[in-house]
Amino acid sequence: GNADPASLAEAIAAAVLVNLYNADYVLPAADSAERPALSTGAVLPSGTPDSAVPDEMPADLGGKTEYGYLVELRQKYLPADAFTGETRTEAERNDARRAARLIVESLNTRFDAYGQNPYELEIRGACYAAAYADTGEAVFRRLAVNDYKQAISSGYLLPKQDYDRLAAALLEPMAEM
């Protein structure tokens, strides 16, 4: 094929006109169209109950704000190497699973009530990245990349390094084109 811009433009214009004025083409009925699922269907691993991390937000946060409590949970139970560190015990990994799930569920509720903000998007992205490291399920990588990207696009650059690391694998196939 010829990659001449003028020839390419003519070919595209001809195809558009054929599609636009093709009286023989019948559109499918709207009720027969497949509707995409809005839910990701992704469920974070819940861990087991033999953990110091609670199932739900406690009523008494010990004088902390809900945000402060979530940040403390992340710092205490969800280090960056929670699922990749060779010295991590199964008990520590269980705590990390429970913390990630509680944090994501709490942040989702906060987002519904107050809207998203880049700081909490970064935290939720870190939880999804941890779930990806734990399970290898690609949906968690995509969710982490999405949260990181939204935080970065608002000007919050803390998640940039994690975004680059997770997004690089998604971009490799495009680089090979």
Side-chain angles (χ1 to χ4, degrees):
N2 187 355
D4 171 52
S7 300
L8 190 58
E10 280 184 40
I12 291 171
V16 167
L17 290 174
V18 166
N19 286 335
L20 188 61
Y21 294 106
N22 183 355
D24 297 327
Y25 183 76
V26 178
L27 289 172
D31 58 354
S32 70
E34 188 175 318
R35 290 177 178 36
L38 297 178
S39 170
T40 63
V43 177
L44 288 161
S46 58
T48 56
D50 58 338
S51 170
V53 180
D55 280 336
E56 55 188 40
M57 288 292 284
D60 179 9
L61 300 177
K64 297 176 199 72
T65 63
E66 186 176 342
Y67 177 79
Y69 180 80
L70 295 174
V71 168
E72 185 177 275
L73 266 181
R74 178 187 180 187
Q75 290 172 341
K76 186 172 184 179
Y77 297 109
L78 202 61
D81 70 342
F83 298 104
T84 58
E86 293 179 20
T87 61
R88 296 288 172 197
T89 66
E90 191 52 41
E92 289 173 313
R93 288 187 173 102
N94 183 50
D95 288 342
R97 286 180 191 106
R98 290 177 62 86
R101 186 176 182 132
L102 177 58
I103 292 168
V104 167
E105 289 173 354
S106 297
L107 289 177
N108 288 344
T109 301
R110 289 176 61 81
F111 289 162
D112 289 345
Y114 310 115
Q116 295 180 340
N117 68 69
Y119 311 105
E120 291 177 344
L121 281 167
E122 184 274 329
I123 292 169
R124 190 175 72 173
C127 292
Y128 285 139
Y132 173 66
D134 182 26
T135 67
E137 291 182 32
V139 66
F140 293 125
R141 176 173 47 192
R142 291 191 301 267
L143 290 167
V145 166
N146 183 60
D147 279 356
Y148 286 154
K149 185 175 182 179
Q150 287 183 63
I152 292 166
S153 70
S154 72
Y156 186 56
L157 298 180
L158 180 68
K160 178 77 169 90
Q161 186 175 6
D162 292 325
Y163 170 81
D164 290 344
R165 178 180 47 78
L166 288 171
L170 299 173
L171 300 175
E172 283 174 9
M174 287 186 260
E176 294 172 1
M177 294 178 122

